[in-house]
Amino acid sequence: MAISRVRSLIPLSNGVRNSVSSFSRFYSSTFSTHFENVGFIGLGNMGCRMANNLIKAGYKVAVHDINHEVMRMFADRGVPTEETPSGIAETSDVVITMLPSSSHVLDVYTGPNGLINDGNLLRPMLFIDSSTIDPQTSRRLSVAVSNCGLKQKKDIWEIPMILDAPVSGGVLAAEAGTLTFMVGGSEEAYLAAKPLFLAMGKNTIYCGGAGNGSAAKICNNLAMAVSMLGVSEALALGQSLGITAGTLTKIFNSSSARCWSSDSYNPVPGVMEGVPSSRNYIGGFATKLMAKDLNLAAESAKEIGLKCPLASQAQEICNESRLISYDHPFENSSFDHRFGELCKEGHETKDFSCVFRHYFSGKDEH
């Protein structure tokens, strides 16, 4: 076993529940002392803000990114930088990665100058991958990490471990330190890493074994995409039938159609302040990123033989309209190319709620 399962020795009777809770707090605080030196790889819009919050929390952070300009920004503030992922591994107790895709993650971990090499002894006890990738890749990476050894074993930590811990909340939550982490992997490693998560976010949810955090993220984003498509289609239909989007939104939000896409992230310009639709769909969650996540969901469903018709249709809106190119797009879409033509003009960087205007031809509220 990677970590001795001390908690399994504690009887699970009502009389010792307080002891179990105290043990969990002790466990987390004990191992957090081993994570003072943090390596962070991937300093994009999310990663740079997450790294900043770790620095604010007092961790000794070293960073790496292929973008030398952003590396220079951190170096100018006195933050150590490394030229390669392996350089980060040599100086860190824990390494956090926040990267665009599965291929980037595999390259950083197992490629030339990567974080791990089969059979090598590693300094980091723990790796945390917060990238949004497919669960299968997360599980393969978990096996690869567990095949390595530790240069120095500490307490009951016997081998290096990895958690898949994608996030929800976007750039604003990354800035404010209010992200939600969906975590898969060893529960003991999760408890040990919790102080790190809470330095970058406000919620952590343990999802089970390796890959389950990644699975939770793509399922969440699939539901979010389908919800936005349904709300956008209904609001556009209502407008065409003579009902204003504001009136229909009030009906949705006081009846059974109420959801996040209607009451917190309304896609109709002029209905709600402080959301991307109120600023010409600037900011928020880029449509091309939603397209990527839909492809992850569709490919995962295809791999296990599960029918996901709504995922497929949502994916087709993006892929068949040539919003973004992927290796394995679904074929034979029944959707037209209006959305794709608009996206080719630059709308792929706008928030995904722009589907209301650019696919369903919805109108602004005045």
Side-chain angles (χ1 to χ4, degrees):
M1 290 185 292
I3 300 175
S4 300
R5 298 185 178 272
V6 179
R7 289 182 305 159
S8 66
L9 301 179
I10 302 175
L12 297 179
S13 64
N14 290 336
V16 298
R17 284 179 180 172
N18 291 335
S19 298
V20 173
S21 177
S22 298
F23 173 79
S24 296
R25 290 193 297 270
F26 166 78
Y27 192 95
S28 181
S29 63
T30 298
F31 282 101
S32 65
T33 62
H34 294 320
F35 296 155
E36 293 178 359
N37 297 294
V38 179
F40 203 105
I41 299 176
L43 302 172
N45 288 333
M46 296 291 290
C48 68
R49 290 165 170 83
M50 294 164 69
N52 281 334
N53 284 327
L54 288 168
I55 294 168
K56 290 176 186 176
Y59 289 97
K60 299 174 183 177
V61 178
V63 300
H64 168 74
D65 195 277
I66 58 173
N67 185 331
H68 290 282
E69 185 175 339
V70 72
M71 287 252 283
R72 193 177 304 112
M73 291 171 56
F74 276 85
D76 289 345
R77 294 163 47 200
V79 178
T81 62
E82 295 289 343
E83 291 298 316
T84 63
S86 60
I88 287 289
E90 290 170 4
T91 62
S92 304
D93 304 315
V94 57
V95 177
I96 301 171
T97 50
M98 186 62 160
L99 301 162
S101 69
S102 299
S103 61
H104 292 96
V105 170
L106 289 173
D107 186 57
V108 163
Y109 278 85
T110 64
N113 295 312
L115 290 169
I116 65 172
N117 288 299
D118 285 346
N120 275 9
L121 296 177
L122 307 177
R123 171 175 172 171
M125 293 181 291
L126 180 65
F127 298 90
I128 299 172
D129 181 38
S130 288
S131 315
T132 299
I133 63 174
D134 62 281
Q136 295 86 351
T137 295
S138 294
R139 287 163 183 154
R140 287 195 295 268
L141 203 55
S142 177
V143 173
V145 169
S146 67
N147 284 335
C148 298
L150 283 174
K151 288 183 178 178
Q152 183 178 356
K153 297 181 181 180
K154 297 182 180 180
D155 296 326
I156 58 174
W157 205 279
E158 298 174 357
I159 61 171
M161 306 196 76
I162 185 169
L163 297 170
D164 47 284
V167 301
S168 179
V171 172
L172 292 179
E175 180 81 32
T178 57
L179 292 167
T180 293
F181 287 85
M182 296 158 262
V183 187
S186 158
E187 188 173 6
E188 289 86 350
Y190 162 72
L191 290 172
K194 204 165 184 180
L196 287 164
F197 294 135
L198 294 179
M200 301 178 284
K202 68 175 182 179
N203 296 309
T204 66
I205 301 171
Y206 179 64
C207 302
N212 282 12
S214 295
K217 176 63 186 289
I218 62 174
C219 290
N220 179 78
N221 282 17
L222 167 60
M224 182 169 68
V226 170
S227 168
M228 182 58 73
L229 289 171
V231 167
S232 295
E233 184 173 81
L235 289 170
L237 175 61
Q239 286 181 333
S240 298
L241 295 173
I243 307 173
T244 67
T247 298
L248 202 50
T249 294
K250 289 178 183 177
I251 293 169
F252 287 179
N253 292 343
S254 59
S255 61
S256 56
R258 183 176 185 174
C259 62
W260 180 81
S261 296
S262 68
D263 71 1
S264 299
Y265 212 77
N266 196 282
V268 183
V271 169
M272 184 177 293
E273 293 299 319
V275 295
S277 62
S278 70
R279 50 181 184 268
N280 198 31
Y281 302 105
I282 300 299
F285 188 54
T287 307
K288 64 181 180 181
L289 297 180
M290 177 57 81
K292 184 202 82 169
D293 291 356
L294 286 170
N295 275 272
L296 290 174
E299 286 299 312
S300 293
K302 185 178 180 181
E303 186 164 324
I304 62 174
L306 180 69
K307 292 182 179 179
C308 286
L310 296 181
S312 299
Q313 290 197 13
Q315 185 196 31
E316 286 168 345
I317 289 176
C318 296
N319 287 345
E320 288 297 321
S321 64
R322 288 167 288 173
L323 170 61
I324 188 168
S325 176
Y326 286 90
D327 292 333
H328 305 289
F330 274 62
E331 299 176 352
N332 302 319
S333 171
S334 60
F335 292 92
D336 62 64
H337 292 167
R338 289 176 300 162
F339 188 48
E341 292 303 318
L342 288 165
C343 286
K344 288 200 310 185
E345 296 172 4
H347 297 297
E348 73 274 2
T349 61
K350 291 190 174 182
D351 182 75
F352 77 106
S353 62
C354 76
V355 70
F356 168 77
R357 176 190 286 172
H358 298 314
Y359 185 77
F360 294 108
S361 300
K363 307 300 181 185
D364 293 7
E365 190 90 336
H366 298 293

